[in-house]
Amino acid sequence: MKKTLLSALLVAGLVGCAASPDLPSTYTLDSNRPEGLAIVSLTLSGKPLEKVSGYEYRIREVLPRGEAYAVVSQHYASARQHARSVQDEGKDRPVTHSVVVKGPNNIDALDIQDAGKATGRLAALRLSPGDYEFHSWQVREPSTYGETEYRPAREFVYRFSIKPGEATYIGRLNLHLSSRNTERITVNDRQVEDMSLLGQKYPALRAAKIVAAVGILQP
């Protein structure tokens, strides 16, 4: 019983990064607000998104030059320790975000389609000013033995910057996950299509100035 409890607590601790929900439909840009927007579309190819149970990306703050993130796993000896950790979540830790494209608790529409089938969605993320990077992804699909999870063998880097009161379009990230379990991330400028979707989802942003800053993946 104790072993089962500790395993459950460990799993809860490992998935404790902050989620980045989409905006309310009435959201407007305000130069006095201490936040900016990252506009990005996230798609999946190779595997049909309709057969996938979970698909998400991870974003984190960019560290100063010469520093690197260590692999950190939190272990709990009791439910009380876990509760205290949850209460203190975020103190003295770099900001990380989970951007869910598809998941059991995600209600945001899959609004990007190809040949009539959903391939992803457009996301508008509120972030504090600073430099960030997409660095990992996760895909889950049902299997004969429960569920199969896919992650990159090594992290990738796609960086972008956020300024207060500004919206920045950073492109379309596509994950191609083949039947041979190979993966490839690409970044493309799909601004015309994505800005049309943005106007449909957030009418108040149709007249807003959107800065395009589509970058490249770093090795």
Side-chain angles (χ1 to χ4, degrees), residues 120-136:
R121 75 179 185 88
L122 181 77
L125 312 174
R126 282 180 285 193
L127 296 169
S128 299
D131 297 323
Y132 297 87
E133 61 188 13
F134 282 84
H135 66 96
S136 189

Side-chain angles (χ1 to χ4, degrees), residues 174-193:
N174 181 75
L175 166 63
H176 183 81
L177 195 56
S178 78
S179 58
R180 297 183 294 116
N181 294 333
T182 61
E183 57 94 0
R184 182 178 72 255
I185 292 283
T186 56
V187 179
N188 295 288
D189 188 342
R190 303 294 290 272
Q191 187 175 2
V192 173
E193 179 182 349

Side-chain angles (χ1 to χ4, degrees), residues 83-117:
R84 290 176 59 187
S85 174
V86 172
Q87 184 177 1
D88 293 339
E89 184 70 35
K91 292 183 179 179
D92 301 323
R93 301 180 190 178
V95 175
T96 62
H97 299 268
S98 175
V99 185
V100 178
V101 182
K102 182 180 180 181
N105 299 317
N106 186 36
I107 60 174
D108 299 308
L110 296 172
D111 44 20
I112 299 176
Q113 297 194 351
D114 182 20
K117 294 185 177 181

Side-chain angles (χ1 to χ4, degrees), residues 150-181:
Y150 304 88
R151 293 175 182 267
R154 66 184 182 89
E155 294 187 339
F156 66 96
V157 174
Y158 181 60
R159 292 183 174 172
F160 61 96
S161 298
I162 294 295
K163 295 181 179 180
E166 292 188 8
T168 304
Y169 173 71
I170 60 174
R172 177 170 296 185
L173 271 69
N174 181 75
L175 166 63
H176 183 81
L177 195 56
S178 78
S179 58
R180 297 183 294 116
N181 294 333

